[in-house]
């Protein structure tokens, strides 16, 4: 309102995905950006994928572009129904589920305060609350990637419920994942954590 700077333009597709963001100096810049956006590799991949969503090659091409461009919430909206319907290749579906897992895990962590209604819970109480929820996500196939910031917390919370359920496979999978994330860390606390979960796995196998 009354500013003297160049206006900020954003070009989006019909789904609200931002294709480009720029400060034009004139109509020619706007037209150039619009033309480039309409012929973008992302839109080509999306059009081909939506015309034939069961084609594994088109799935891979579209979601590769989508991971680079689409904000997380829109990507999950695009993919979640396809994952549930089993229409994605196993590799792409697992990548999408890893993204979905991060979202679902975040929702669980956000619910801690509400669950304990402002009370300061003990560590054991938090694990007792989170363990079954993470275990349920695991059973549904929602497992964060090893690059995820929530991976270690997810597995550590899951361990207690895996012990209760005597699920050696889940515990082993978690130990291997945590070791891949933290294995190169020389911090004494990390070494202690790794020893703890390996000892717990050994006891679970007895």
């Amino acid at each position: 309102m009354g500013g003297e700077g160049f206006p900020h333009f954003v070009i989006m597709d019909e789904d609200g995905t931002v294709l480009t963001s720029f400060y034009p100096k004139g109509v020619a810049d706007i037209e150039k950006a619009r033309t480039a956006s309409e012929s973008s590799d992302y839109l080509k991949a999306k059009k081909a994928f939506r015309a034939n969503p069961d084609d594994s090659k088109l799935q891979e091409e579209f979601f590769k572009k989508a991971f680079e461009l689409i904000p997380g919430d829109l990507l999950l909206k695009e993919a979640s129904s396809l994952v549930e319907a089993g229409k994605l290749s196993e590799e792409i579906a697992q990548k999408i589920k890893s993204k979905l897992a991060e979202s679902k895990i975040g929702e669980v962590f956000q619910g801690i305060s509400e669950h304990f209604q402002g009370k300061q819970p003990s560590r054991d109480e938090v694990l007792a609350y989170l363990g079954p929820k993470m275990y349920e996500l695991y059973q549904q196939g929602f497992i964060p990637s090893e690059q995820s910031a929530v991976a270690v917390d997810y597995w550590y919370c899951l361990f207690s419920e895996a012990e209760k359920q005597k699920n050696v496979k889940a515990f082993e999978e978690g130990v291997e994942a945590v070791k891949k994330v933290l294995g190169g860390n020389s911090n004494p606390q990390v070494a202690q954590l790794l020893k703890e979960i390996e000892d717990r796995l050994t006891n679970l196998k007895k």
Side-chain angles (χ1 to χ4, degrees):
M1 299 294 289
E4 297 180 357
F6 292 117
H8 175 224
F9 274 65
V10 171
I11 295 180
M12 299 183 290
D13 68 2
E14 70 275 13
D15 297 320
T17 299
V18 176
L19 302 176
T20 187
S21 175
F22 63 104
Y23 292 89
K25 295 182 179 180
V27 176
D29 286 349
I30 297 175
E31 183 61 25
K32 182 178 179 180
R34 182 186 67 79
T35 302
S37 296
E38 289 178 349
S39 61
S40 70
D41 290 342
Y42 166 73
L43 287 184
K44 291 177 182 177
K46 184 173 78 168
K47 182 178 179 180
F49 163 69
R50 288 190 171 172
N52 193 357
D54 295 331
D55 187 308
S56 60
K57 183 178 179 181
L58 296 180
Q59 291 172 13
E60 184 174 354
E61 290 176 354
F62 169 66
F63 283 106
K64 182 178 179 180
K65 299 294 182 185
F67 275 124
E68 298 171 356
L69 187 64
I70 303 181
D73 55 344
L74 290 177
L75 175 59
L76 299 184
K77 182 180 179 181
E78 176 76 40
S80 58
S81 61
L82 297 171
V83 171
E84 292 171 1
K87 290 187 175 181
L88 297 181
S89 67
E90 185 175 345
E91 180 182 0
I92 296 297
Q94 190 53 57
K95 288 181 180 179
I96 298 297
K97 278 199 167 186
S98 292
K99 287 283 187 181
L100 281 167
E102 292 180 20
S103 176
K104 291 176 179 291
I105 291 166
E107 291 175 3
V108 172
F109 280 123
Q110 288 174 8
I112 293 176
S113 296
E114 181 179 352
H115 176 77
F116 290 102
Q117 300 181 336
K119 170 189 170 185
Q120 184 61 43
S122 67
R123 175 176 175 275
D124 289 344
E125 287 175 325
V126 172
L127 288 175
Y129 168 70
L130 293 176
K133 294 184 178 297
M134 299 305 171
Y135 189 77
E136 182 179 1
L137 291 178
Y138 171 82
Q139 289 184 307
Q140 294 171 350
F142 293 112
I143 302 171
S145 70
E146 291 157 10
Q147 291 74 38
S148 170
V150 299
V152 174
D153 289 337
Y154 165 86
W155 286 111
Y156 193 80
C157 292
L158 182 147
F159 286 146
S160 58
E161 188 64 21
E163 286 173 319
K164 288 181 182 178
Q165 302 297 333
K166 301 187 185 306
N167 191 331
V168 174
K169 179 180 178 295
F171 207 108
E172 281 182 325
E173 189 175 343
V175 169
E176 288 306 309
V178 172
K179 285 168 69 175
K180 286 180 180 178
V181 176
L182 301 177
N185 193 316
S186 59
N187 188 308
Q189 290 182 320
V190 171
Q192 183 178 351
L193 170 64
L194 294 177
K195 183 178 185 306
E196 175 204 327
I197 60 177
E198 287 177 337
D199 288 345
R200 289 168 67 182
L201 176 59
T202 299
N203 290 332
L204 184 60
K205 289 179 175 180
K206 291 180 179 178

